[in-house]
Amino acid sequence: MPVRLPRPALMLAGAPLLVLVSVAGAITVGPSDLSIADVYGVVADRAGLGSTDLTLLQQSIVWDLRLPRTLLAGICGAGLAICGVILQSLLRNPLADPFVLGISSGASTGAVSIVVLGIGSGAIGLSTGAFAGALASFGLVLLLASLAGGTTDRLVLAGIAATQLFSALTSFIVFTAADAEQTRGVLFWLLGSLSSASWTDVLVCAVVVLGGLVCCIAGAGWLDAFAFGNDAAASLGVDVVRIRAVLLVLTALMTAVIVATSGAIGFVGLVLPHLARALVGVGHRLLLPATALLGAIFLIWVDTAARTMIDPEELPVGVATALVGVPAFALVLMRARR
Amino acid sequence: MTTLETERVCWAPRGRLVVDDVSLQVEDGATVGLLGPNGSGKSSLIRILAGLRPPSSGDVLLDGSPLAGMSRRRLARRLAVVEQEPATSQDLRVRDVVALGRVPHRPAWAPDSAQDRAVVEEAAAHAGIADRLDQRFSTLSGGERQRTQIARALAQEPEILLLDEPTNHLDVRHQLALLALVRRMPMTCLVALHDLNLAAAYCDQVFVLSHGRVVAGGAPAEVLTESLIAEVYGVRARVHHDDGVVIRFLGPVS
């Protein structure tokens, strides 16, 4: 068993600082020689609090490319990790996460349909399509799993089925209806990438993920109560049907917005909650913020590695999270064996 | 005074009648046994009494008012349930499990108060697991798990406690210790039991279920007769009344 470090609350207080350092540090990494002081200069300049002596190109690299990308990575990492905690707690399944359960795949299909059919565009339009897709695939998974008996492995198997189905649908839509440019985009939706991050994406994701986090922390006691199942939660005074519905829809919404801006990124939601539990314990009041912060730090650095590792090419971040995540997944799987 | 009673309760999930027209009243402060063969509806009746399953017809009344109209949270502060072998996928400490009993007593966002922690310690001490609080729930023996769940139920500070076959899978010593613990508790306890001798030794009142119906109710010495055991369980038995009720089983009814 992991060692319980002292004062989880104190660690939690230090973690936001680590996120800040991660954001600033990650921006300096890459093919343009920048320091943390340069990054601070640009941010201060834009905020009207100082000035910077960088060239316009360098300023643009910081402000238009790397800063939104790094922030988006942090927000997506936090959001996916929170979704993992909620799904694992509500479905009582240590292997649950939006990617494994096919919610991300469904969201991808929804977003791709919007792009290809030309119904709408922009972060909001894509997110709406992704939300519809996420709900559809989540509904399918829960239905399949409950028809099959509702055990832990059935849920994961249903998730695999949904992932395959919706990945196939995404590819199908792209190859039949899209032009060459859009066809290249299929990799974006299937593997996940943060390369197109914009300030609008950052804003939309930040609102939804922060809102989701606050809602979930507000219901932390209810999430705790699900540890022994739905009946046990009900006997502890939780309105199971309503709370479950609200939290599952919230999960689908967060996943949808994240997928709409960055594609289907796997393993963040699966692995990080387990790490956070080992650090701060199982109580959701600490676990949720801890998982969010860990998820943010994790995805910021994995994305930084992904965009610089095989310079000048860029590795899709979903490939990088899978490379890190699969061994971690194997560890979780072995621990879940009872 | 807290009374728990059912009025002509039926429960028929998917058309199959599991609980059939049950009317019973539990005496305040008593330890009440719920007896009956496998599949006679004991667990179902406990879930209905706990408000976890709405009856198909009839009412469960707590102090005269129907459970159906009560908020889940208010009910959880008055009535606690210990299910059969509850399991979790999470790596909880015993303290975390017992502390779940405080969930209905504070807002979902609030941290536990000093009072919550004191109640948890006291409940654990009462259930005899005070020295296990920092251990992992998954490392406990069956008897200790049951005690942990009972401590969690006590932390709810209920007026009524429902237990579904708490002695399952326990050796005889742990069975006796657990029922002695239940008996010592001040609140009304309704316990589903398999062992008729244990029921006779520890219960003030018993109800016997057969095919979803209550076929007998009252003091164990009056209810547990040779003819009732033959009729309900299909077993020949001798009931001795010399030193409390002792039942000796002779074999199946031929």
PDB file of all heavy atoms in Angstrom, chain B residues 173-192:
ATOM      1  N   ARG B 173     -18.683 -18.159  17.768  1.00  0.00           N
ATOM      2  CA  ARG B 173     -18.308 -17.185  18.785  1.00  0.00           C
ATOM      3  C   ARG B 173     -18.646 -15.766  18.326  1.00  0.00           C
ATOM      4  O   ARG B 173     -19.195 -14.959  19.065  1.00  0.00           O
ATOM      5  CB  ARG B 173     -16.818 -17.319  19.071  1.00  0.00           C
ATOM      6  CG  ARG B 173     -16.421 -16.479  20.236  1.00  0.00           C
ATOM      7  CD  ARG B 173     -15.007 -16.729  20.671  1.00  0.00           C
ATOM      8  NE  ARG B 173     -14.527 -15.467  21.204  1.00  0.00           N
ATOM      9  CZ  ARG B 173     -13.378 -14.936  20.898  1.00  0.00           C
ATOM     10  NH1 ARG B 173     -12.569 -15.550  20.079  1.00  0.00           N
ATOM     11  NH2 ARG B 173     -13.033 -13.778  21.413  1.00  0.00           N
ATOM     12  N   HIS B 174     -18.303 -15.482  17.057  1.00  0.00           N
ATOM     13  CA  HIS B 174     -18.591 -14.151  16.525  1.00  0.00           C
ATOM     14  C   HIS B 174     -20.095 -13.915  16.374  1.00  0.00           C
ATOM     15  O   HIS B 174     -20.567 -12.804  16.546  1.00  0.00           O
ATOM     16  CB  HIS B 174     -17.879 -13.949  15.188  1.00  0.00           C
ATOM     17  CG  HIS B 174     -16.419 -13.663  15.350  1.00  0.00           C
ATOM     18  ND1 HIS B 174     -15.460 -14.640  15.180  1.00  0.00           N
ATOM     19  CD2 HIS B 174     -15.765 -12.545  15.700  1.00  0.00           C
ATOM     20  CE1 HIS B 174     -14.273 -14.118  15.412  1.00  0.00           C
ATOM     21  NE2 HIS B 174     -14.424 -12.853  15.729  1.00  0.00           N
ATOM     22  N   GLN B 175     -20.838 -14.992  16.070  1.00  0.00           N
ATOM     23  CA  GLN B 175     -22.300 -14.848  15.992  1.00  0.00           C
ATOM     24  C   GLN B 175     -22.859 -14.395  17.337  1.00  0.00           C
ATOM     25  O   GLN B 175     -23.660 -13.459  17.422  1.00  0.00           O
ATOM     26  CB  GLN B 175     -22.940 -16.180  15.601  1.00  0.00           C
ATOM     27  CG  GLN B 175     -22.672 -16.602  14.175  1.00  0.00           C
ATOM     28  CD  GLN B 175     -23.445 -17.865  13.813  1.00  0.00           C
ATOM     29  OE1 GLN B 175     -24.280 -18.340  14.567  1.00  0.00           O
ATOM     30  NE2 GLN B 175     -23.155 -18.405  12.644  1.00  0.00           N
ATOM     31  N   LEU B 176     -22.395 -15.082  18.394  1.00  0.00           N
ATOM     32  CA  LEU B 176     -22.901 -14.745  19.735  1.00  0.00           C
ATOM     33  C   LEU B 176     -22.496 -13.332  20.128  1.00  0.00           C
ATOM     34  O   LEU B 176     -23.307 -12.555  20.635  1.00  0.00           O
ATOM     35  CB  LEU B 176     -22.366 -15.744  20.765  1.00  0.00           C
ATOM     36  CG  LEU B 176     -22.801 -17.204  20.564  1.00  0.00           C
ATOM     37  CD1 LEU B 176     -22.158 -18.103  21.612  1.00  0.00           C
ATOM     38  CD2 LEU B 176     -24.321 -17.324  20.643  1.00  0.00           C
ATOM     39  N   ALA B 177     -21.239 -12.985  19.843  1.00  0.00           N
ATOM     40  CA  ALA B 177     -20.750 -11.658  20.228  1.00  0.00           C
ATOM     41  C   ALA B 177     -21.533 -10.578  19.492  1.00  0.00           C
ATOM     42  O   ALA B 177     -21.907  -9.546  20.059  1.00  0.00           O
ATOM     43  CB  ALA B 177     -19.263 -11.551  19.914  1.00  0.00           C
ATOM     44  N   LEU B 178     -21.805 -10.834  18.194  1.00  0.00           N
ATOM     45  CA  LEU B 178     -22.495  -9.824  17.403  1.00  0.00           C
ATOM     46  C   LEU B 178     -23.928  -9.612  17.886  1.00  0.00           C
ATOM     47  O   LEU B 178     -24.390  -8.484  18.028  1.00  0.00           O
ATOM     48  CB  LEU B 178     -22.478 -10.243  15.930  1.00  0.00           C
ATOM     49  CG  LEU B 178     -22.873  -9.087  15.044  1.00  0.00           C
ATOM     50  CD1 LEU B 178     -21.694  -8.657  14.200  1.00  0.00           C
ATOM     51  CD2 LEU B 178     -24.049  -9.421  14.185  1.00  0.00           C
ATOM     52  N   LEU B 179     -24.606 -10.739  18.179  1.00  0.00           N
ATOM     53  CA  LEU B 179     -25.994 -10.583  18.629  1.00  0.00           C
ATOM     54  C   LEU B 179     -26.056  -9.981  20.031  1.00  0.00           C
ATOM     55  O   LEU B 179     -26.980  -9.221  20.341  1.00  0.00           O
ATOM     56  CB  LEU B 179     -26.720 -11.922  18.562  1.00  0.00           C
ATOM     57  CG  LEU B 179     -27.064 -12.293  17.120  1.00  0.00           C
ATOM     58  CD1 LEU B 179     -27.625 -13.705  17.045  1.00  0.00           C
ATOM     59  CD2 LEU B 179     -28.083 -11.310  16.542  1.00  0.00           C
ATOM     60  N   ALA B 180     -25.045 -10.282  20.853  1.00  0.00           N
ATOM     61  CA  ALA B 180     -25.001  -9.647  22.180  1.00  0.00           C
ATOM     62  C   ALA B 180     -24.846  -8.138  22.004  1.00  0.00           C
ATOM     63  O   ALA B 180     -25.478  -7.346  22.722  1.00  0.00           O
ATOM     64  CB  ALA B 180     -23.838 -10.216  22.987  1.00  0.00           C
ATOM     65  N   LEU B 181     -24.022  -7.750  21.032  1.00  0.00           N
ATOM     66  CA  LEU B 181     -23.842  -6.326  20.740  1.00  0.00           C
ATOM     67  C   LEU B 181     -25.160  -5.691  20.295  1.00  0.00           C
ATOM     68  O   LEU B 181     -25.557  -4.630  20.786  1.00  0.00           O
ATOM     69  CB  LEU B 181     -22.772  -6.166  19.645  1.00  0.00           C
ATOM     70  CG  LEU B 181     -22.664  -4.817  18.946  1.00  0.00           C
ATOM     71  CD1 LEU B 181     -22.209  -3.762  19.936  1.00  0.00           C
ATOM     72  CD2 LEU B 181     -21.691  -4.890  17.782  1.00  0.00           C
ATOM     73  N   VAL B 182     -25.857  -6.358  19.368  1.00  0.00           N
ATOM     74  CA  VAL B 182     -27.135  -5.835  18.885  1.00  0.00           C
ATOM     75  C   VAL B 182     -28.118  -5.692  20.043  1.00  0.00           C
ATOM     76  O   VAL B 182     -28.816  -4.699  20.179  1.00  0.00           O
ATOM     77  CB  VAL B 182     -27.710  -6.762  17.786  1.00  0.00           C
ATOM     78  CG1 VAL B 182     -29.155  -6.386  17.458  1.00  0.00           C
ATOM     79  CG2 VAL B 182     -26.839  -6.691  16.532  1.00  0.00           C
ATOM     80  N   ARG B 183     -28.129  -6.711  20.895  1.00  0.00           N
ATOM     81  CA  ARG B 183     -29.074  -6.734  22.021  1.00  0.00           C
ATOM     82  C   ARG B 183     -28.796  -5.573  22.985  1.00  0.00           C
ATOM     83  O   ARG B 183     -29.711  -4.998  23.558  1.00  0.00           O
ATOM     84  CB  ARG B 183     -28.935  -8.086  22.720  1.00  0.00           C
ATOM     85  CG  ARG B 183     -29.681  -8.187  23.981  1.00  0.00           C
ATOM     86  CD  ARG B 183     -30.512  -9.454  24.087  1.00  0.00           C
ATOM     87  NE  ARG B 183     -31.490  -9.210  25.131  1.00  0.00           N
ATOM     88  CZ  ARG B 183     -32.777  -9.039  24.910  1.00  0.00           C
ATOM     89  NH1 ARG B 183     -33.242  -9.155  23.680  1.00  0.00           N
ATOM     90  NH2 ARG B 183     -33.598  -8.779  25.880  1.00  0.00           N
ATOM     91  N   ARG B 184     -27.519  -5.243  23.162  1.00  0.00           N
ATOM     92  CA  ARG B 184     -27.149  -4.168  24.106  1.00  0.00           C
ATOM     93  C   ARG B 184     -27.560  -2.784  23.602  1.00  0.00           C
ATOM     94  O   ARG B 184     -27.620  -1.838  24.362  1.00  0.00           O
ATOM     95  CB  ARG B 184     -25.617  -4.140  24.268  1.00  0.00           C
ATOM     96  CG  ARG B 184     -25.070  -5.070  25.342  1.00  0.00           C
ATOM     97  CD  ARG B 184     -23.703  -4.591  25.815  1.00  0.00           C
ATOM     98  NE  ARG B 184     -22.740  -4.362  24.759  1.00  0.00           N
ATOM     99  CZ  ARG B 184     -22.009  -5.307  24.184  1.00  0.00           C
ATOM    100  NH1 ARG B 184     -22.135  -6.550  24.558  1.00  0.00           N
ATOM    101  NH2 ARG B 184     -21.148  -5.004  23.235  1.00  0.00           N
ATOM    102  N   MET B 185     -27.796  -2.676  22.301  1.00  0.00           N
ATOM    103  CA  MET B 185     -28.030  -1.336  21.763  1.00  0.00           C
ATOM    104  C   MET B 185     -29.380  -0.805  22.213  1.00  0.00           C
ATOM    105  O   MET B 185     -30.352  -1.549  22.270  1.00  0.00           O
ATOM    106  CB  MET B 185     -27.909  -1.365  20.257  1.00  0.00           C
ATOM    107  CG  MET B 185     -26.491  -1.782  19.885  1.00  0.00           C
ATOM    108  SD  MET B 185     -25.954  -1.223  18.321  1.00  0.00           S
ATOM    109  CE  MET B 185     -26.605  -2.487  17.312  1.00  0.00           C
ATOM    110  N   PRO B 186     -29.428   0.482  22.520  1.00  0.00           N
ATOM    111  CA  PRO B 186     -30.654   1.035  23.112  1.00  0.00           C
ATOM    112  C   PRO B 186     -31.795   1.175  22.103  1.00  0.00           C
ATOM    113  O   PRO B 186     -32.958   1.165  22.493  1.00  0.00           O
ATOM    114  CB  PRO B 186     -30.204   2.405  23.611  1.00  0.00           C
ATOM    115  CG  PRO B 186     -29.034   2.765  22.766  1.00  0.00           C
ATOM    116  CD  PRO B 186     -28.368   1.486  22.414  1.00  0.00           C
ATOM    117  N   MET B 187     -31.480   1.306  20.816  1.00  0.00           N
ATOM    118  CA  MET B 187     -32.561   1.572  19.858  1.00  0.00           C
ATOM    119  C   MET B 187     -33.265   0.275  19.445  1.00  0.00           C
ATOM    120  O   MET B 187     -32.820  -0.820  19.745  1.00  0.00           O
ATOM    121  CB  MET B 187     -32.028   2.321  18.636  1.00  0.00           C
ATOM    122  CG  MET B 187     -31.159   1.530  17.689  1.00  0.00           C
ATOM    123  SD  MET B 187     -29.477   1.326  18.262  1.00  0.00           S
ATOM    124  CE  MET B 187     -28.739   2.889  17.893  1.00  0.00           C
ATOM    125  N   THR B 188     -34.390   0.453  18.755  1.00  0.00           N
ATOM    126  CA  THR B 188     -35.118  -0.680  18.230  1.00  0.00           C
ATOM    127  C   THR B 188     -34.290  -1.356  17.139  1.00  0.00           C
ATOM    128  O   THR B 188     -33.782  -0.682  16.247  1.00  0.00           O
ATOM    129  CB  THR B 188     -36.443  -0.198  17.610  1.00  0.00           C
ATOM    130  OG1 THR B 188     -37.110   0.614  18.569  1.00  0.00           O
ATOM    131  CG2 THR B 188     -37.316  -1.350  17.185  1.00  0.00           C
ATOM    132  N   CYS B 189     -34.121  -2.684  17.226  1.00  0.00           N
ATOM    133  CA  CYS B 189     -33.354  -3.393  16.206  1.00  0.00           C
ATOM    134  C   CYS B 189     -34.220  -4.480  15.584  1.00  0.00           C
ATOM    135  O   CYS B 189     -34.842  -5.272  16.302  1.00  0.00           O
ATOM    136  CB  CYS B 189     -32.112  -4.048  16.807  1.00  0.00           C
ATOM    137  SG  CYS B 189     -30.914  -2.881  17.426  1.00  0.00           S
ATOM    138  N   LEU B 190     -34.242  -4.506  14.263  1.00  0.00           N
ATOM    139  CA  LEU B 190     -34.929  -5.578  13.552  1.00  0.00           C
ATOM    140  C   LEU B 190     -33.855  -6.379  12.815  1.00  0.00           C
ATOM    141  O   LEU B 190     -33.135  -5.837  11.983  1.00  0.00           O
ATOM    142  CB  LEU B 190     -35.942  -5.000  12.564  1.00  0.00           C
ATOM    143  CG  LEU B 190     -36.778  -6.037  11.815  1.00  0.00           C
ATOM    144  CD1 LEU B 190     -37.908  -6.543  12.705  1.00  0.00           C
ATOM    145  CD2 LEU B 190     -37.350  -5.456  10.542  1.00  0.00           C
ATOM    146  N   VAL B 191     -33.738  -7.675  13.144  1.00  0.00           N
ATOM    147  CA  VAL B 191     -32.639  -8.491  12.635  1.00  0.00           C
ATOM    148  C   VAL B 191     -33.180  -9.682  11.863  1.00  0.00           C
ATOM    149  O   VAL B 191     -33.940 -10.482  12.414  1.00  0.00           O
ATOM    150  CB  VAL B 191     -31.780  -9.042  13.805  1.00  0.00           C
ATOM    151  CG1 VAL B 191     -30.444  -9.542  13.273  1.00  0.00           C
ATOM    152  CG2 VAL B 191     -31.591  -8.005  14.872  1.00  0.00           C
ATOM    153  N   ALA B 192     -32.811  -9.800  10.602  1.00  0.00           N
ATOM    154  CA  ALA B 192     -33.145 -11.009   9.858  1.00  0.00           C
ATOM    155  C   ALA B 192     -32.158 -12.089  10.270  1.00  0.00           C
ATOM    156  O   ALA B 192     -30.955 -11.850  10.308  1.00  0.00           O
ATOM    157  CB  ALA B 192     -33.039 -10.753   8.351  1.00  0.00           C
TER     158      ALA B 192
END
